[in-house]
Amino acid sequence: MATVTVASFIKIFLLIALFQLSFATRRLNEEVVQDQSQLLHYHNGPLLYGKISVNLIWYGQFKPSQKAIISDFITSLSSSSPVAETNQPSVATWWKTTEKYYHLSSKKASPRLSLSLGKQILDENYSLGKSLTSKHLVELTSKGDQKNSINVVLTSADVAVEGFCMSRCGTHGSSSSAGHVKGKNYKFAYIWVGNSETQCPGQCAWPFHQPIYGPQSPPLIAPNNDVGLDGMIINLASLLAGTATNPFGNGYFQGPAEAPLEAASACPGVYGKGAYPGYAGNLLVDSTTGASYNAHGGNGRKYLLPALYDPSTSSCSTLV
């Protein structure tokens, strides 16, 4: 699995992508990224190209306002969204860093990756219970379309997931489609992210909650006034970047295959310039609410997004 994980911090909220089998998991680890001067190597596997729908599978109870925070983020990724040009820095500008990986690949010219909000599937009655295994997550992801799609499972705050809070905050990976389309068996990419608000906000929603380990600094005010959901945005953003650039475990990553770093996990705990362990960096602050953010989204939203590794400069790129 490639997961967003939770580990004892030597450096605050260190996120490291751990691959096991076909899964990618984002983990918080004790390891420290020693050398970021090296490019994430391309392992000659396929990337995601063309028009891709992001299908949201809501597992458990979410308020309409919470669903809007996530769906507005997905629609904000497109460079054609109105906010992309008018309000900077924007979510779309943040996403453009992933395009640099495509420019470096040796594959023949392919249509540019374009993400759009797809179907939203509700599972409010906990069809698989409130304690899920990794196998359950794959089963849930199959509820969405399995061609030209990224299926995202979002679990509510009262759902326990294998490894959640202990070793990960979310996961991205791939699975084969259940059926055949025109004689072909397609692989589709998926993501899982959990709401950590009541289970482990210190691990999976930092810097909007006091960290359990490492340097202690006051938590920041969440831009959408929801610690759990704003934390989910950070993890979802990181895993989306990993999915685009390393969807099947043989794209862009750094280090050994069994414990690689990806586009966002190579820049742990960095959200703005001047970041250091326990300090997210110099961020924008809403003059009315006092909330910290670094990106504008659709419908007047503000988000805090992780730094991405820029392969053209071999450094972590931040919006502010």
Side-chain angles (χ1 to χ4, degrees), residues 285-304:
V285 178
D286 188 294
S287 59
T288 302
T289 64
S292 296
Y293 68 100
N294 60 9
H296 292 274
N299 291 325
R301 297 279 183 194
K302 295 178 174 68
Y303 295 105
L304 184 65

Side-chain angles (χ1 to χ4, degrees), residues 257-279:
E258 61 272 14
L261 297 177
E262 297 178 313
S265 58
C267 303
V270 178
Y271 300 91
K273 290 179 175 61
Y276 55 82
Y279 177 61

Side-chain angles (χ1 to χ4, degrees), residues 16-19 31 38 41 43 246 249 253-261:
I16 289 182
L18 174 63
F19 280 80
E31 295 182 37
Q38 187 180 15
H41 294 299
H43 295 75
N246 190 29
F253 63 88
Q254 180 187 85
E258 61 272 14
L261 297 177

Side-chain angles (χ1 to χ4, degrees), residues 125-143:
N125 295 320
Y126 310 90
S127 63
L128 298 178
K130 290 188 176 182
S131 182
L132 305 180
T133 64
S134 295
K135 184 178 179 180
H136 287 144
L137 295 178
V138 176
E139 182 177 342
L140 288 171
T141 63
S142 66
K143 290 177 177 286

